[in-house]
Amino acid sequence: SILMQRRLFLYNFRNLRKAKGRRETYLCYVVKRRDSATSCSLDFGYLRNQMGCHVEVLFLRYIAAWDLDPGRCYRITWFTSWSPCYDCAQHIANFLRSYPNLSLRIFMARLYFCEDRKAEPEGLRRLHKAGAQIAIMTFKDFFYCWNTFVENREQTFKGWEGLHENSVHLARKLRRILLPLYEVDDLRDAFKILGL
């Protein structure tokens, strides 16, 4: 099926602050071609990690095989259960540099951090610098995914307890990661002055 099972979506996209046991990354995507003021949907669906290959790399291989017309503009939107790891962020940034006619928006349910907590934030900063728009999923994004990518049997999406609070918490964390380093230093100095 082109649509994800409800239980898979609800388990894998739940935006918990600590999501132990959720080892797979799911990626829901929409590909559109932009023609002046209008856009045309070309494809949508979802992917998940395969043995030895992260889902972001799988998608980049998939879209590279399309042989995109360099004279047209394309917009890709991802909704992912985890933010990209450092290596995937590098692959995506390089891909975006190779396809200047392609824009990418990534909405993430959770932030992924490995043992080396400095690598993943740096990967997200590089990805952002390469032109990707990155954000944390909100209720509206989960609702959209439920209605677009999930075999929901016409059931209305009901958010789980803590969805909004966790989105706000994760969005603040992402905003701090993406702040230019001089602004982070300014904030640290301001907190020291205030005694915080």
Side-chain angles (χ1 to χ4, degrees), residues 91 155 169 195-196:
H91 286 298
Q155 290 184 356
H169 171 77
L196 301 173

Side-chain angles (χ1 to χ4, degrees), residues 17-29:
R17 292 186 194 190
K18 295 190 185 216
K20 291 188 177 185
R22 288 163 170 84
R23 301 194 190 291
E24 291 185 309
T25 301
Y26 281 78
L27 183 153
C28 300
Y29 64 89

Side-chain angles (χ1 to χ4, degrees), residues 168-180:
V168 169
H169 171 77
L170 291 166
R172 284 183 184 145
K173 199 171 193 175
L174 178 62
R175 196 168 32 254
R176 282 194 303 273
I177 289 168
L178 298 180
L179 274 175

Side-chain angles (χ1 to χ4, degrees), residues 31-44:
V31 181
K32 293 185 176 185
R33 185 181 65 230
R34 305 223 10 117
D35 296 314
S36 63
T38 62
S39 64
C40 169
S41 288
L42 299 177
D43 194 17
F44 80 100

Side-chain angles (χ1 to χ4, degrees), residues 67-87:
D67 197 24
L68 298 173
D69 181 348
R72 292 183 175 254
C73 294
Y74 299 89
R75 185 173 74 187
I76 297 172
T77 304
W78 286 355
F79 299 90
T80 63
S81 56
W82 286 106
S83 63
C85 71
Y86 178 80
D87 290 339

